Amino acid sequence: MLKLLICTFTTFAIAVVMLQLRQERREIAYQSNALHDKIEAQQSKLWNQQLQIATYTSPNAIKRTVGDHELQMSTVTPD
């Protein structure tokens, strides 16, 4: 009878530990997915900023800006 009681208690304890570990694994997976989504959003924002910079600094855009503001610019030649 004592052995049966010990086996039952041990089985119950193992089941509780397994459920706790499963819950922790699910929480970590959720946090990982949330971080991944946040990284993707930041990366998308960065790509949009890089696209805007590339658009504003293209030779055609610079030429148009200089022409619109009638700036007198001289070329720099390397020595």
Side-chain angles (χ1 to χ4, degrees):
M1 183 69 177
L2 182 61
K3 287 183 182 181
L4 181 61
L5 188 61
I6 291 173
C7 286
T8 304
F9 178 73
T10 305
T11 303
F12 178 73
I14 290 173
V16 168
V17 169
M18 292 293 288
L19 284 173
Q20 179 63 28
L21 288 174
R22 182 173 181 252
Q23 179 65 25
E24 285 181 22
R25 185 183 61 164
R26 292 182 69 141
E27 287 177 13
I28 290 172
Y30 173 78
Q31 290 172 356
S32 174
N33 287 335
L35 277 174
H36 183 69
D37 291 343
K38 188 175 179 181
I39 289 169
E40 282 183 343
Q42 291 294 326
Q43 190 174 30
S44 175
K45 184 178 177 183
L46 176 63
W47 285 345
N48 285 334
Q49 289 173 346
Q50 288 174 340
L51 177 63
Q52 288 177 350
I53 290 169
T55 302
Y56 292 134
T57 59
S58 70
N60 293 335
I62 292 173
K63 191 175 194 179
R64 187 174 46 247
T65 302
V66 169
D68 289 348
H69 295 292
E70 299 177 4
L71 298 174
Q72 299 300 322
M73 299 189 71
S74 61
T75 59
V76 176
T77 57
D79 294 330

